């Protein structure tokens, strides 16, 4: 392994380790000051105003049921991205709310997508979705590579669970770093859905 490759590999391992240490915790906050262009509200939901949002990175790959998925294909719709793991207690707490809201907004310009992370196989992830009535697709990201694609200082997922709302133009409008119930999820979703 070359020095450059080894340095890149070590950086990736360190980032995944940091994510692992912060995983499945109560919500946290970051940014909201400096050059971040977003504000963290008292309810734990960070938002970025229109015109100051960062584009979502490439979120594509294989789903937990072996299909190909590219979140960019949903441009023109509002996309709710939920980062979860079957091993995560807060993820289990919020799953039924996500299933309920996704069904309510089906066919109304909203697409839900999960990112399953740190499950060592897809079996527990598939069982988790069946158990909680989740019908929308989830990308399989066992090592957290998709989360590493978000630039530091943006509305990036930093904990498990994390939820992002991506606007119709493919830009990240809101983020929560904690488990959400249906009321909190709708507080994130409705303002972005109301944008023209």
């Amino acid at each position: 392994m070359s020095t450059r490759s080894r340095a890149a590999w070590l950086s990736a391992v360190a980032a995944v380790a940091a994510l692992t240490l912060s995983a499945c915790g109560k919500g946290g906050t970051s940014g909201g000051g400096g050059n971040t262009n977003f504000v963290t509200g008292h309810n734990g939901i960070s938002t970025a105003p229109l015109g100051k949002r960062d584009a979502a990175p490439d979120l594509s790959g294989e789903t937990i049921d072996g299909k190909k998925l590219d979140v960019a294909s949903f441009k023109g719709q509002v996309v709710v991205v939920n980062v979860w793991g079957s091993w995560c207690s807060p993820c289990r707490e919020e799953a039924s709310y996500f299933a309920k809201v996704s069904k309510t907004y089906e066919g109304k310009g909203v697409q839900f997508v999960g990112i399953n992370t740190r499950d060592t196989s897809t079996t527990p992830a598939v069982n988790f979705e069946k158990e909680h009535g989740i019908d929308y697709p989830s990308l399989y990201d066992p090592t957290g590579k998709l989360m590493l694609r978000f630039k530091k200082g943006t509305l990036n997922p930093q904990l498990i669970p994390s939820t992002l709302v991506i606007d119709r133009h493919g830009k990240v409008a809101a983020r929560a770093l904690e488990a959400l119930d249906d009321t909190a999820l709708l507080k994130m979703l409705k303002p972005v859905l109301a944008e023209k």
Side-chain angles (χ1 to χ4, degrees):
M1 186 181 287
S2 72
T3 303
R4 178 179 276 169
S5 296
R6 185 161 188 221
W9 181 81
L10 288 172
S11 292
V13 168
V16 170
L19 180 66
T20 300
L21 290 172
S22 66
C24 222
K26 260 318 228 177
T29 59
S30 75
N35 306 344
T36 58
N37 291 329
F38 64 88
V39 176
T40 300
H42 296 295
N43 56 4
I45 297 171
S46 302
T47 58
L50 271 169
K52 300 216 174 195
R53 295 175 181 164
D54 292 294
D58 170 29
L59 297 174
S60 63
E62 201 166 286
T63 63
I64 62 172
D65 55 357
K67 297 176 182 162
K68 296 285 182 202
L69 177 68
D70 185 349
V71 171
S73 69
F74 300 122
K75 202 167 187 179
Q77 296 183 69
V78 173
V79 180
V80 177
V81 178
N82 179 243
V83 182
W84 62 278
S86 67
W87 44 268
C88 165
S89 295
C91 301
R92 287 191 290 276
E93 290 171 21
E94 73 177 4
S96 61
Y97 298 117
F98 277 77
K100 175 184 167 187
V101 175
S102 70
K103 286 176 178 78
T104 300
Y105 281 86
E106 193 171 350
K108 297 179 181 175
V110 179
Q111 175 63 51
F112 278 70
V113 175
I115 298 178
N116 170 257
T117 191
R118 291 183 49 215
D119 273 318
T120 55
S121 81
T122 57
T123 303
V126 169
N127 290 338
F128 177 96
E129 287 198 338
K130 281 182 188 164
E131 181 183 335
H132 296 287
I134 294 172
D135 296 331
Y136 54 83
S138 285
L139 289 162
Y140 182 52
D141 186 31
T143 60
K145 282 191 223 171
L146 293 176
M147 284 170 287
L148 295 175
R149 293 180 180 171
F150 286 85
K151 287 187 287 185
K152 188 176 179 182
T154 65
L155 287 175
N156 56 342
Q158 298 172 356
L159 299 172
I160 301 164
S162 287
T163 301
L164 305 172
V165 177
I166 300 172
D167 68 20
R168 291 179 181 91
H169 307 288
K171 298 189 173 188
V172 182
R175 174 194 66 189
L177 297 176
E178 61 190 15
L180 302 174
D181 62 14
D182 50 348
T183 303
L185 178 55
L186 289 170
K187 275 185 189 169
M188 287 180 71
L189 175 60
K190 283 182 172 180
V192 182
L193 192 56
E195 294 171 357
K196 297 297 173 201

